[in-house]
Amino acid sequence: MNNLLILLILVNVLISFKAFNDASFFRKYEFHIGSIRAGEHIRMISSAFLHADLGHLFFNMFTLYMFAPVVTGYLNSLSFLLIYFGSLVFGSLLTLMMHKNNYHYRAVGASGAVTGVLYSAILLEPSMSLYLFFIPIPIPAYLFGIGYLLYSIYGMKAKNDNIGHTAHFGGAVGGFLITLIKLPELLSQEPLMVGLLLLPIVILFFMAKSGKI
């Protein structure tokens, strides 16, 4: 694990713990449509360093820890940062676009950035597998990625937490596009994987167009 990844995780942990113990700090920097439309655009970035609770923080940082080394290994640290922050911005922009008329909408989490890194890593190494907690068999990483986004659709429909589920999709789009722009040969080398990872994004698009989300 390189120093850049350690620093990024540390920043997320420190800011999140500050917010866990300071409600006014949390409210000042969370993603809040009304405040963003009033001009507080910093929230579109700062909210990605806040988390709803310890479990939310752990899951995002664990996912980042697992997949970031793949991105830095195939590309480089600068490209990793581009994918992380590019996906963060894509996630915030999609959230703003989909919820722009809901002035009370709030969300937090590094989910957009982390999902972008996840999607990038799967494109770069589609054959990798994961061992998840108490599951004794390896899980193909692409199934984890697709399942992660399908769970996000459920979270968007349920609207029963403060987690930025919409940002997962924006982040996935960001990581997907930036990786393919940097390595367009993946389109011909891994067409099946490109199609599989595109599938939940297409599902979300049609659900949004039909008013089901």
Short mmCIF file of all heavy atoms in Angstrom, two decimals, residues 30-92:
data_model
loop_
_atom_site.label_atom_id
_atom_site.label_comp_id
_atom_site.label_asym_id
_atom_site.label_seq_id
_atom_site.Cartn_x
_atom_site.Cartn_y
_atom_site.Cartn_z
N GLU A 30 -21.84 18.49 4.92
CA GLU A 30 -22.53 17.39 4.24
C GLU A 30 -23.10 17.86 2.91
O GLU A 30 -23.24 19.06 2.65
CB GLU A 30 -23.67 16.87 5.13
CG GLU A 30 -24.81 17.86 5.28
CD GLU A 30 -25.95 17.34 6.13
OE1 GLU A 30 -26.01 16.12 6.36
OE2 GLU A 30 -26.78 18.16 6.56
N PHE A 31 -23.44 16.89 2.07
CA PHE A 31 -24.10 17.20 0.79
C PHE A 31 -25.55 17.56 1.10
O PHE A 31 -26.30 16.74 1.63
CB PHE A 31 -24.06 15.98 -0.14
CG PHE A 31 -24.44 16.27 -1.56
CD1 PHE A 31 -23.48 16.43 -2.53
CD2 PHE A 31 -25.78 16.37 -1.92
CE1 PHE A 31 -23.83 16.68 -3.86
CE2 PHE A 31 -26.15 16.63 -3.23
CZ PHE A 31 -25.17 16.79 -4.21
N HIS A 32 -25.93 18.81 0.80
CA HIS A 32 -27.28 19.27 1.07
C HIS A 32 -27.72 20.13 -0.11
O HIS A 32 -27.13 21.17 -0.39
CB HIS A 32 -27.34 20.09 2.37
CG HIS A 32 -28.69 20.64 2.69
ND1 HIS A 32 -28.95 21.98 2.81
CD2 HIS A 32 -29.88 20.00 2.89
CE1 HIS A 32 -30.22 22.17 3.09
NE2 HIS A 32 -30.81 20.98 3.14
N ILE A 33 -28.74 19.65 -0.83
CA ILE A 33 -29.16 20.31 -2.06
C ILE A 33 -29.47 21.79 -1.86
O ILE A 33 -29.02 22.65 -2.62
CB ILE A 33 -30.39 19.60 -2.68
CG1 ILE A 33 -30.01 18.18 -3.14
CG2 ILE A 33 -30.97 20.40 -3.84
CD1 ILE A 33 -29.11 18.12 -4.34
N GLY A 34 -30.25 22.10 -0.83
CA GLY A 34 -30.64 23.49 -0.60
C GLY A 34 -29.43 24.39 -0.43
O GLY A 34 -29.36 25.48 -1.02
N SER A 35 -28.46 23.95 0.35
CA SER A 35 -27.26 24.75 0.59
C SER A 35 -26.39 24.86 -0.66
O SER A 35 -25.83 25.93 -0.95
CB SER A 35 -26.44 24.13 1.73
OG SER A 35 -27.19 24.09 2.93
N ILE A 36 -26.28 23.77 -1.41
CA ILE A 36 -25.48 23.80 -2.64
C ILE A 36 -26.10 24.75 -3.65
O ILE A 36 -25.41 25.57 -4.27
CB ILE A 36 -25.34 22.39 -3.22
CG1 ILE A 36 -24.47 21.53 -2.30
CG2 ILE A 36 -24.73 22.43 -4.63
CD1 ILE A 36 -24.45 20.06 -2.63
N ARG A 37 -27.41 24.70 -3.80
CA ARG A 37 -28.07 25.59 -4.75
C ARG A 37 -28.05 27.04 -4.28
O ARG A 37 -28.23 27.95 -5.09
CB ARG A 37 -29.50 25.11 -5.00
CG ARG A 37 -29.54 23.74 -5.70
CD ARG A 37 -30.87 23.45 -6.35
NE ARG A 37 -31.21 24.41 -7.39
CZ ARG A 37 -32.29 24.32 -8.17
NH1 ARG A 37 -33.13 23.31 -8.00
NH2 ARG A 37 -32.54 25.21 -9.08
N ALA A 38 -27.78 27.23 -2.99
CA ALA A 38 -27.63 28.59 -2.46
C ALA A 38 -26.19 29.09 -2.61
O ALA A 38 -25.89 30.22 -2.22
CB ALA A 38 -28.03 28.64 -1.00
N GLY A 39 -25.31 28.25 -3.16
CA GLY A 39 -23.95 28.70 -3.44
C GLY A 39 -22.85 28.00 -2.67
O GLY A 39 -21.66 28.27 -2.91
N GLU A 40 -23.18 27.07 -1.78
CA GLU A 40 -22.16 26.40 -0.97
C GLU A 40 -21.63 25.17 -1.72
O GLU A 40 -21.83 24.02 -1.32
CB GLU A 40 -22.73 26.00 0.39
CG GLU A 40 -23.14 27.21 1.24
CD GLU A 40 -23.68 26.80 2.59
OE1 GLU A 40 -23.30 25.73 3.10
OE2 GLU A 40 -24.51 27.55 3.13
N HIS A 41 -20.90 25.42 -2.81
CA HIS A 41 -20.46 24.33 -3.68
C HIS A 41 -19.37 23.46 -3.06
O HIS A 41 -19.14 22.33 -3.53
CB HIS A 41 -19.99 24.92 -5.02
CG HIS A 41 -21.05 25.67 -5.74
ND1 HIS A 41 -20.91 27.00 -6.13
CD2 HIS A 41 -22.31 25.32 -6.10
CE1 HIS A 41 -22.01 27.41 -6.72
NE2 HIS A 41 -22.88 26.41 -6.72
N ILE A 42 -18.69 23.94 -2.04
CA ILE A 42 -17.67 23.15 -1.36
C ILE A 42 -18.24 21.84 -0.83
O ILE A 42 -17.54 20.83 -0.72
CB ILE A 42 -17.03 23.96 -0.20
CG1 ILE A 42 -15.85 23.21 0.41
CG2 ILE A 42 -18.07 24.27 0.88
CD1 ILE A 42 -14.69 22.98 -0.53
N ARG A 43 -19.54 21.83 -0.54
CA ARG A 43 -20.19 20.63 -0.01
C ARG A 43 -20.13 19.47 -1.01
O ARG A 43 -20.21 18.31 -0.62
CB ARG A 43 -21.64 20.92 0.34
CG ARG A 43 -21.84 21.83 1.55
CD ARG A 43 -23.31 22.21 1.67
NE ARG A 43 -23.61 23.06 2.81
CZ ARG A 43 -24.07 22.63 3.98
NH1 ARG A 43 -24.26 21.34 4.18
NH2 ARG A 43 -24.33 23.47 4.96
N MET A 44 -20.02 19.77 -2.30
CA MET A 44 -19.97 18.71 -3.30
C MET A 44 -18.67 17.91 -3.19
O MET A 44 -18.60 16.76 -3.63
CB MET A 44 -20.12 19.30 -4.70
CG MET A 44 -21.49 19.94 -4.92
SD MET A 44 -21.73 20.57 -6.59
CE MET A 44 -21.82 19.05 -7.53
N ILE A 45 -17.65 18.51 -2.60
CA ILE A 45 -16.38 17.82 -2.37
C ILE A 45 -16.27 17.36 -0.91
O ILE A 45 -15.93 16.21 -0.63
CB ILE A 45 -15.19 18.74 -2.71
CG1 ILE A 45 -15.30 19.25 -4.15
CG2 ILE A 45 -13.87 17.99 -2.48
CD1 ILE A 45 -15.26 18.18 -5.21
N SER A 46 -16.55 18.29 0.01
CA SER A 46 -16.34 17.99 1.44
C SER A 46 -17.20 16.84 1.94
O SER A 46 -16.78 16.07 2.81
CB SER A 46 -16.63 19.25 2.28
OG SER A 46 -17.97 19.66 2.16
N SER A 47 -18.40 16.67 1.38
CA SER A 47 -19.30 15.60 1.82
C SER A 47 -18.71 14.22 1.58
O SER A 47 -19.07 13.25 2.26
CB SER A 47 -20.65 15.71 1.10
OG SER A 47 -20.48 15.63 -0.30
N ALA A 48 -17.77 14.12 0.63
CA ALA A 48 -17.15 12.84 0.32
C ALA A 48 -16.13 12.41 1.36
O ALA A 48 -15.59 11.30 1.28
CB ALA A 48 -16.50 12.89 -1.06
N PHE A 49 -15.84 13.28 2.33
CA PHE A 49 -14.91 12.93 3.41
C PHE A 49 -15.65 12.74 4.73
O PHE A 49 -15.02 12.56 5.77
CB PHE A 49 -13.83 14.00 3.53
CG PHE A 49 -12.91 14.03 2.34
CD1 PHE A 49 -13.18 14.86 1.27
CD2 PHE A 49 -11.80 13.22 2.29
CE1 PHE A 49 -12.34 14.89 0.15
CE2 PHE A 49 -10.95 13.23 1.19
CZ PHE A 49 -11.23 14.08 0.11
N LEU A 50 -16.98 12.76 4.68
CA LEU A 50 -17.81 12.50 5.85
C LEU A 50 -18.50 11.15 5.67
O LEU A 50 -18.72 10.71 4.53
CB LEU A 50 -18.88 13.58 6.01
CG LEU A 50 -18.42 15.04 6.09
CD1 LEU A 50 -19.63 15.96 6.10
CD2 LEU A 50 -17.57 15.26 7.32
N HIS A 51 -18.87 10.51 6.77
CA HIS A 51 -19.56 9.22 6.69
C HIS A 51 -20.68 9.16 7.73
O HIS A 51 -20.62 9.84 8.76
CB HIS A 51 -18.57 8.07 6.87
CG HIS A 51 -17.68 7.91 5.68
ND1 HIS A 51 -16.55 8.68 5.49
CD2 HIS A 51 -17.76 7.10 4.59
CE1 HIS A 51 -15.98 8.35 4.34
NE2 HIS A 51 -16.69 7.38 3.78
N ALA A 52 -21.69 8.35 7.41
CA ALA A 52 -22.88 8.28 8.26
C ALA A 52 -22.59 7.64 9.61
O ALA A 52 -23.16 8.02 10.62
CB ALA A 52 -23.98 7.51 7.54
N ASP A 53 -21.70 6.64 9.62
CA ASP A 53 -21.35 5.97 10.88
C ASP A 53 -20.06 5.19 10.66
O ASP A 53 -19.47 5.20 9.56
CB ASP A 53 -22.48 5.04 11.34
CG ASP A 53 -22.95 4.07 10.26
OD1 ASP A 53 -22.08 3.53 9.53
OD2 ASP A 53 -24.17 3.87 10.13
N LEU A 54 -19.61 4.50 11.69
CA LEU A 54 -18.34 3.77 11.63
C LEU A 54 -18.38 2.65 10.59
O LEU A 54 -17.39 2.42 9.88
CB LEU A 54 -18.01 3.21 13.02
CG LEU A 54 -16.59 2.68 13.22
CD1 LEU A 54 -15.57 3.77 12.96
CD2 LEU A 54 -16.43 2.13 14.64
N GLY A 55 -19.51 1.96 10.50
CA GLY A 55 -19.64 0.89 9.52
C GLY A 55 -19.52 1.41 8.09
O GLY A 55 -18.88 0.78 7.23
N HIS A 56 -20.16 2.53 7.83
CA HIS A 56 -20.12 3.16 6.51
C HIS A 56 -18.68 3.54 6.17
O HIS A 56 -18.19 3.28 5.06
CB HIS A 56 -21.03 4.39 6.52
CG HIS A 56 -21.15 5.09 5.21
ND1 HIS A 56 -21.40 6.45 5.13
CD2 HIS A 56 -21.07 4.65 3.93
CE1 HIS A 56 -21.46 6.80 3.86
NE2 HIS A 56 -21.27 5.72 3.12
N LEU A 57 -17.98 4.14 7.11
CA LEU A 57 -16.58 4.53 6.92
C LEU A 57 -15.71 3.31 6.65
O LEU A 57 -14.91 3.30 5.72
CB LEU A 57 -16.07 5.29 8.16
CG LEU A 57 -14.58 5.62 8.20
CD1 LEU A 57 -14.19 6.56 7.08
CD2 LEU A 57 -14.21 6.22 9.57
N PHE A 58 -15.88 2.26 7.48
CA PHE A 58 -15.06 1.06 7.32
C PHE A 58 -15.28 0.42 5.96
O PHE A 58 -14.32 0.04 5.28
CB PHE A 58 -15.38 0.05 8.42
CG PHE A 58 -14.70 -1.28 8.22
CD1 PHE A 58 -13.36 -1.44 8.55
CD2 PHE A 58 -15.39 -2.35 7.66
CE1 PHE A 58 -12.72 -2.66 8.33
CE2 PHE A 58 -14.76 -3.56 7.43
CZ PHE A 58 -13.42 -3.72 7.77
N PHE A 59 -16.53 0.30 5.54
CA PHE A 59 -16.81 -0.37 4.27
C PHE A 59 -16.18 0.38 3.10
O PHE A 59 -15.57 -0.23 2.21
CB PHE A 59 -18.33 -0.49 4.06
CG PHE A 59 -18.69 -1.26 2.82
CD1 PHE A 59 -18.58 -2.64 2.79
CD2 PHE A 59 -19.13 -0.60 1.68
CE1 PHE A 59 -18.89 -3.37 1.63
CE2 PHE A 59 -19.44 -1.31 0.53
CZ PHE A 59 -19.32 -2.69 0.51
N ASN A 60 -16.30 1.71 3.10
CA ASN A 60 -15.70 2.49 2.02
C ASN A 60 -14.18 2.39 2.03
O ASN A 60 -13.55 2.22 0.98
CB ASN A 60 -16.14 3.95 2.11
CG ASN A 60 -17.44 4.22 1.37
OD1 ASN A 60 -17.83 3.47 0.49
ND2 ASN A 60 -18.11 5.29 1.73
N MET A 61 -13.58 2.50 3.20
CA MET A 61 -12.12 2.47 3.28
C MET A 61 -11.58 1.06 3.00
O MET A 61 -10.52 0.91 2.38
CB MET A 61 -11.64 2.96 4.65
CG MET A 61 -11.93 4.45 4.90
SD MET A 61 -11.25 5.57 3.63
CE MET A 61 -12.73 5.90 2.60
N PHE A 62 -12.32 0.03 3.41
CA PHE A 62 -11.92 -1.34 3.10
C PHE A 62 -11.94 -1.57 1.59
O PHE A 62 -11.01 -2.16 1.02
CB PHE A 62 -12.85 -2.33 3.81
CG PHE A 62 -12.60 -3.77 3.44
CD1 PHE A 62 -11.52 -4.46 3.97
CD2 PHE A 62 -13.46 -4.43 2.57
CE1 PHE A 62 -11.29 -5.78 3.63
CE2 PHE A 62 -13.23 -5.75 2.22
CZ PHE A 62 -12.14 -6.43 2.76
N THR A 63 -13.00 -1.12 0.94
CA THR A 63 -13.11 -1.26 -0.52
C THR A 63 -11.99 -0.52 -1.21
O THR A 63 -11.37 -1.03 -2.16
CB THR A 63 -14.48 -0.75 -1.01
OG1 THR A 63 -15.52 -1.44 -0.30
CG2 THR A 63 -14.66 -0.98 -2.50
N LEU A 64 -11.71 0.71 -0.75
CA LEU A 64 -10.61 1.49 -1.33
C LEU A 64 -9.28 0.77 -1.13
O LEU A 64 -8.46 0.68 -2.06
CB LEU A 64 -10.58 2.88 -0.67
CG LEU A 64 -9.53 3.86 -1.20
CD1 LEU A 64 -9.79 4.18 -2.67
CD2 LEU A 64 -9.55 5.15 -0.38
N TYR A 65 -9.05 0.25 0.06
CA TYR A 65 -7.82 -0.46 0.39
C TYR A 65 -7.63 -1.69 -0.51
O TYR A 65 -6.50 -2.00 -0.93
CB TYR A 65 -7.87 -0.89 1.87
CG TYR A 65 -6.77 -1.81 2.30
CD1 TYR A 65 -5.51 -1.32 2.66
CD2 TYR A 65 -6.98 -3.20 2.37
CE1 TYR A 65 -4.50 -2.18 3.07
CE2 TYR A 65 -5.97 -4.05 2.77
CZ TYR A 65 -4.73 -3.54 3.12
OH TYR A 65 -3.73 -4.39 3.51
N MET A 66 -8.72 -2.37 -0.84
CA MET A 66 -8.64 -3.58 -1.65
C MET A 66 -8.36 -3.28 -3.12
O MET A 66 -7.63 -4.03 -3.78
CB MET A 66 -9.95 -4.37 -1.54
CG MET A 66 -10.22 -4.96 -0.16
SD MET A 66 -9.01 -6.22 0.32
CE MET A 66 -9.40 -7.51 -0.87
N PHE A 67 -8.95 -2.21 -3.65
CA PHE A 67 -8.92 -1.99 -5.09
C PHE A 67 -7.95 -0.92 -5.57
O PHE A 67 -7.52 -0.96 -6.73
CB PHE A 67 -10.33 -1.67 -5.59
CG PHE A 67 -11.27 -2.85 -5.55
CD1 PHE A 67 -12.14 -3.02 -4.50
CD2 PHE A 67 -11.24 -3.80 -6.55
CE1 PHE A 67 -12.99 -4.12 -4.44
CE2 PHE A 67 -12.08 -4.91 -6.51
CZ PHE A 67 -12.97 -5.06 -5.45
N ALA A 68 -7.60 0.03 -4.73
CA ALA A 68 -6.69 1.10 -5.17
C ALA A 68 -5.34 0.57 -5.65
O ALA A 68 -4.81 1.07 -6.65
CB ALA A 68 -6.50 2.12 -4.05
N PRO A 69 -4.73 -0.43 -4.96
CA PRO A 69 -3.43 -0.92 -5.45
C PRO A 69 -3.47 -1.48 -6.87
O PRO A 69 -2.45 -1.44 -7.58
CB PRO A 69 -3.08 -2.02 -4.43
CG PRO A 69 -3.79 -1.61 -3.18
CD PRO A 69 -5.09 -1.04 -3.66
N VAL A 70 -4.62 -2.00 -7.29
CA VAL A 70 -4.74 -2.49 -8.66
C VAL A 70 -4.62 -1.33 -9.64
O VAL A 70 -3.90 -1.41 -10.65
CB VAL A 70 -6.09 -3.21 -8.86
CG1 VAL A 70 -6.26 -3.64 -10.33
CG2 VAL A 70 -6.21 -4.41 -7.93
N VAL A 71 -5.30 -0.21 -9.33
CA VAL A 71 -5.27 0.97 -10.21
C VAL A 71 -3.87 1.56 -10.26
O VAL A 71 -3.34 1.86 -11.35
CB VAL A 71 -6.29 2.02 -9.74
CG1 VAL A 71 -6.22 3.26 -10.64
CG2 VAL A 71 -7.70 1.44 -9.75
N THR A 72 -3.23 1.74 -9.11
CA THR A 72 -1.88 2.30 -9.10
C THR A 72 -0.88 1.35 -9.74
O THR A 72 0.12 1.78 -10.33
CB THR A 72 -1.43 2.65 -7.66
OG1 THR A 72 -1.53 1.49 -6.83
CG2 THR A 72 -2.29 3.76 -7.07
N GLY A 73 -1.14 0.04 -9.65
CA GLY A 73 -0.25 -0.94 -10.25
C GLY A 73 -0.28 -0.92 -11.77
O GLY A 73 0.76 -1.01 -12.42
N TYR A 74 -1.47 -0.78 -12.33
CA TYR A 74 -1.62 -0.78 -13.79
C TYR A 74 -1.35 0.60 -14.38
O TYR A 74 -0.84 0.71 -15.50
CB TYR A 74 -3.02 -1.23 -14.19
CG TYR A 74 -3.19 -2.73 -14.25
CD1 TYR A 74 -3.52 -3.46 -13.11
CD2 TYR A 74 -3.00 -3.42 -15.43
CE1 TYR A 74 -3.67 -4.85 -13.16
CE2 TYR A 74 -3.15 -4.80 -15.50
CZ TYR A 74 -3.49 -5.51 -14.36
OH TYR A 74 -3.63 -6.86 -14.42
N LEU A 75 -1.74 1.63 -13.68
CA LEU A 75 -1.56 3.00 -14.17
C LEU A 75 -0.45 3.65 -13.35
O LEU A 75 0.67 3.22 -13.39
CB LEU A 75 -2.89 3.75 -14.10
CG LEU A 75 -4.05 3.12 -14.90
CD1 LEU A 75 -5.35 3.84 -14.64
CD2 LEU A 75 -3.73 3.11 -16.38
N ASN A 76 -0.77 4.69 -12.61
CA ASN A 76 0.21 5.31 -11.71
C ASN A 76 -0.54 6.12 -10.67
O ASN A 76 -1.78 6.21 -10.71
CB ASN A 76 1.20 6.20 -12.49
CG ASN A 76 0.49 7.22 -13.37
OD1 ASN A 76 -0.40 7.94 -12.91
ND2 ASN A 76 0.88 7.29 -14.64
N SER A 77 0.18 6.73 -9.73
CA SER A 77 -0.47 7.45 -8.63
C SER A 77 -1.26 8.64 -9.12
O SER A 77 -2.34 8.94 -8.60
CB SER A 77 0.58 7.90 -7.61
OG SER A 77 1.17 6.78 -6.98
N LEU A 78 -0.75 9.34 -10.13
CA LEU A 78 -1.47 10.50 -10.67
C LEU A 78 -2.79 10.08 -11.31
O LEU A 78 -3.82 10.72 -11.12
CB LEU A 78 -0.59 11.24 -11.69
CG LEU A 78 -1.16 12.55 -12.25
CD1 LEU A 78 -1.42 13.55 -11.12
CD2 LEU A 78 -0.22 13.15 -13.28
N SER A 79 -2.76 8.98 -12.05
CA SER A 79 -3.99 8.47 -12.67
C SER A 79 -4.98 8.00 -11.61
O SER A 79 -6.19 8.18 -11.75
CB SER A 79 -3.66 7.31 -13.62
OG SER A 79 -2.88 7.76 -14.70
N PHE A 80 -4.46 7.39 -10.54
CA PHE A 80 -5.32 6.99 -9.43
C PHE A 80 -6.04 8.19 -8.83
O PHE A 80 -7.25 8.15 -8.58
CB PHE A 80 -4.50 6.27 -8.37
CG PHE A 80 -5.20 6.15 -7.04
CD1 PHE A 80 -6.30 5.31 -6.90
CD2 PHE A 80 -4.77 6.87 -5.94
CE1 PHE A 80 -6.97 5.20 -5.68
CE2 PHE A 80 -5.42 6.77 -4.72
CZ PHE A 80 -6.52 5.93 -4.58
N LEU A 81 -5.30 9.28 -8.59
CA LEU A 81 -5.91 10.49 -8.04
C LEU A 81 -6.95 11.06 -9.01
O LEU A 81 -8.01 11.53 -8.58
CB LEU A 81 -4.85 11.55 -7.76
CG LEU A 81 -4.04 11.40 -6.47
CD1 LEU A 81 -3.04 12.54 -6.34
CD2 LEU A 81 -4.96 11.35 -5.25
N LEU A 82 -6.65 11.03 -10.31
CA LEU A 82 -7.60 11.52 -11.32
C LEU A 82 -8.88 10.70 -11.26
O LEU A 82 -9.99 11.26 -11.30
CB LEU A 82 -6.97 11.43 -12.70
CG LEU A 82 -7.87 11.80 -13.88
CD1 LEU A 82 -8.31 13.26 -13.79
CD2 LEU A 82 -7.16 11.54 -15.21
N ILE A 83 -8.76 9.38 -11.16
CA ILE A 83 -9.94 8.53 -11.09
C ILE A 83 -10.70 8.75 -9.79
O ILE A 83 -11.93 8.85 -9.79
CB ILE A 83 -9.53 7.05 -11.26
CG1 ILE A 83 -9.08 6.80 -12.70
CG2 ILE A 83 -10.67 6.11 -10.88
CD1 ILE A 83 -8.38 5.49 -12.92
N TYR A 84 -9.98 8.86 -8.67
CA TYR A 84 -10.64 9.05 -7.37
C TYR A 84 -11.43 10.36 -7.34
O TYR A 84 -12.64 10.37 -7.07
CB TYR A 84 -9.59 9.04 -6.25
CG TYR A 84 -10.18 9.10 -4.86
CD1 TYR A 84 -10.48 7.93 -4.17
CD2 TYR A 84 -10.46 10.32 -4.23
CE1 TYR A 84 -11.04 7.96 -2.89
CE2 TYR A 84 -11.01 10.36 -2.96
CZ TYR A 84 -11.30 9.19 -2.30
OH TYR A 84 -11.85 9.23 -1.03
N PHE A 85 -10.76 11.46 -7.65
CA PHE A 85 -11.43 12.76 -7.55
C PHE A 85 -12.36 13.01 -8.73
O PHE A 85 -13.40 13.68 -8.58
CB PHE A 85 -10.41 13.88 -7.39
CG PHE A 85 -9.82 13.94 -6.01
CD1 PHE A 85 -8.58 13.40 -5.73
CD2 PHE A 85 -10.54 14.50 -4.96
CE1 PHE A 85 -8.05 13.43 -4.45
CE2 PHE A 85 -10.03 14.53 -3.66
CZ PHE A 85 -8.78 14.00 -3.41
N GLY A 86 -12.03 12.47 -9.90
CA GLY A 86 -12.96 12.57 -11.03
C GLY A 86 -14.26 11.85 -10.75
O GLY A 86 -15.35 12.36 -11.03
N SER A 87 -14.16 10.66 -10.15
CA SER A 87 -15.36 9.89 -9.79
C SER A 87 -16.14 10.59 -8.69
O SER A 87 -17.38 10.57 -8.69
CB SER A 87 -14.96 8.48 -9.34
OG SER A 87 -14.28 7.80 -10.38
N LEU A 88 -15.43 11.19 -7.75
CA LEU A 88 -16.08 11.97 -6.68
C LEU A 88 -16.95 13.07 -7.29
O LEU A 88 -18.12 13.24 -6.92
CB LEU A 88 -15.00 12.56 -5.77
CG LEU A 88 -15.40 13.27 -4.47
CD1 LEU A 88 -14.18 13.38 -3.55
CD2 LEU A 88 -15.97 14.67 -4.72
N VAL A 89 -16.37 13.81 -8.24
CA VAL A 89 -17.10 14.91 -8.88
C VAL A 89 -18.28 14.38 -9.70
O VAL A 89 -19.38 14.93 -9.65
CB VAL A 89 -16.15 15.75 -9.76
CG1 VAL A 89 -16.93 16.74 -10.62
CG2 VAL A 89 -15.13 16.48 -8.88
N PHE A 90 -18.06 13.30 -10.47
CA PHE A 90 -19.16 12.69 -11.23
C PHE A 90 -20.30 12.29 -10.29
O PHE A 90 -21.48 12.51 -10.60
CB PHE A 90 -18.66 11.45 -11.98
CG PHE A 90 -18.22 11.69 -13.39
CD1 PHE A 90 -16.93 12.10 -13.67
CD2 PHE A 90 -19.10 11.51 -14.45
CE1 PHE A 90 -16.51 12.34 -14.97
CE2 PHE A 90 -18.70 11.73 -15.76
CZ PHE A 90 -17.38 12.14 -16.02
N GLY A 91 -19.95 11.70 -9.15
CA GLY A 91 -20.97 11.27 -8.19
C GLY A 91 -21.77 12.45 -7.65
O GLY A 91 -23.00 12.39 -7.56
N SER A 92 -21.08 13.52 -7.30
CA SER A 92 -21.77 14.70 -6.78
C SER A 92 -22.64 15.36 -7.83
O SER A 92 -23.76 15.81 -7.54
CB SER A 92 -20.75 15.71 -6.23
OG SER A 92 -20.14 15.22 -5.06
#
